Amino acid sequence: MAAAGDDPWLDEAAGRLVRPFTVSNGRTEPSIALDLMSQVMATGVTPLGYLGPEHAQALDLCRAPVSVAEVAAQLRLPAVVTKVLLSDLVDCGALTTKPPAYHHTPTDRSLLEAVLDGLRRQL
């Protein structure tokens, strides 16, 4: 039985009913390099052919610029699977990507504190 508000691929007791690797057809390498902080955005181009429901969900999330990490969180999929899905959408012209603009070093204390504060606000 699906949990209230969840999609049909999630079950309250069993968890995800479709294993993540099946979503990407067993692929673990995206066709393009994507960082978790890379920004992706829909181009307005409609993908030709069947891509799958997760592709459609990802494309819907990308109407405005969003990070790869955020898309993975919203889809409730591992980052590597999300990267494969997003690279499929980039390959067919439905998404565009922009590498992250690092203004700080990844170990910058103020950046890490800002991330921690953001996470605390989400809980």
Side-chain angles (χ1 to χ4, degrees), residues 22 30 55 59 87 92 113 115:
T22 61
H55 287 92
L59 190 56
S87 71
C92 72
E113 287 174 351
V115 169

mmCIF file of all heavy atoms in Angstrom, residues 22 30 55 59 87 92 113 115:
data_model
loop_
_atom_site.group_PDB
_atom_site.id
_atom_site.type_symbol
_atom_site.label_atom_id
_atom_site.label_comp_id
_atom_site.label_asym_id
_atom_site.label_seq_id
_atom_site.Cartn_x
_atom_site.Cartn_y
_atom_site.Cartn_z
ATOM 1 N N THR A 22 17.277 0.099 -11.799
ATOM 2 C CA THR A 22 16.351 -0.178 -12.903
ATOM 3 C C THR A 22 15.855 1.116 -13.547
ATOM 4 O O THR A 22 15.514 1.122 -14.726
ATOM 5 C CB THR A 22 15.142 -1.020 -12.450
ATOM 6 O OG1 THR A 22 14.430 -0.305 -11.454
ATOM 7 C CG2 THR A 22 15.568 -2.368 -11.920
ATOM 8 N N PRO A 30 26.921 8.672 -16.107
ATOM 9 C CA PRO A 30 26.227 9.629 -16.973
ATOM 10 C C PRO A 30 27.070 9.908 -18.211
ATOM 11 O O PRO A 30 28.290 9.750 -18.194
ATOM 12 C CB PRO A 30 26.094 10.873 -16.094
ATOM 13 C CG PRO A 30 27.109 10.725 -15.020
ATOM 14 C CD PRO A 30 27.368 9.260 -14.859
ATOM 15 N N HIS A 55 12.249 10.431 -15.775
ATOM 16 C CA HIS A 55 12.745 11.501 -16.643
ATOM 17 C C HIS A 55 11.751 12.659 -16.664
ATOM 18 O O HIS A 55 12.138 13.823 -16.572
ATOM 19 C CB HIS A 55 12.967 10.994 -18.071
ATOM 20 C CG HIS A 55 14.154 10.114 -18.231
ATOM 21 N ND1 HIS A 55 14.080 8.752 -18.130
ATOM 22 C CD2 HIS A 55 15.443 10.410 -18.509
ATOM 23 C CE1 HIS A 55 15.278 8.241 -18.330
ATOM 24 N NE2 HIS A 55 16.132 9.221 -18.563
ATOM 25 N N LEU A 59 12.461 16.421 -15.400
ATOM 26 C CA LEU A 59 12.276 17.554 -16.306
ATOM 27 C C LEU A 59 11.327 18.582 -15.698
ATOM 28 O O LEU A 59 11.568 19.793 -15.775
ATOM 29 C CB LEU A 59 11.757 17.056 -17.657
ATOM 30 C CG LEU A 59 11.723 18.065 -18.792
ATOM 31 C CD1 LEU A 59 13.089 18.687 -19.029
ATOM 32 C CD2 LEU A 59 11.214 17.397 -20.060
ATOM 33 N N SER A 87 21.589 13.419 -17.524
ATOM 34 C CA SER A 87 22.438 13.401 -18.720
ATOM 35 C C SER A 87 21.652 12.927 -19.935
ATOM 36 O O SER A 87 21.878 13.422 -21.051
ATOM 37 C CB SER A 87 23.696 12.548 -18.499
ATOM 38 O OG SER A 87 23.389 11.177 -18.434
ATOM 39 N N CYS A 92 19.298 14.729 -25.158
ATOM 40 C CA CYS A 92 18.196 14.908 -26.115
ATOM 41 C C CYS A 92 17.793 16.371 -26.265
ATOM 42 O O CYS A 92 16.830 16.690 -26.962
ATOM 43 C CB CYS A 92 17.004 14.026 -25.753
ATOM 44 S SG CYS A 92 16.105 14.556 -24.297
ATOM 45 N N GLU A 113 29.183 26.195 7.461
ATOM 46 C CA GLU A 113 28.229 26.638 8.482
ATOM 47 C C GLU A 113 26.907 27.067 7.853
ATOM 48 O O GLU A 113 25.839 26.783 8.397
ATOM 49 C CB GLU A 113 28.834 27.771 9.312
ATOM 50 C CG GLU A 113 29.920 27.290 10.260
ATOM 51 C CD GLU A 113 30.628 28.422 10.988
ATOM 52 O OE1 GLU A 113 30.397 29.622 10.642
ATOM 53 O OE2 GLU A 113 31.395 28.129 11.908
ATOM 54 N N VAL A 115 25.634 25.876 5.064
ATOM 55 C CA VAL A 115 24.964 24.637 4.664
ATOM 56 C C VAL A 115 24.320 23.975 5.875
ATOM 57 O O VAL A 115 23.162 23.544 5.824
ATOM 58 C CB VAL A 115 25.954 23.670 3.972
ATOM 59 C CG1 VAL A 115 25.348 22.292 3.789
ATOM 60 C CG2 VAL A 115 26.404 24.239 2.631
#
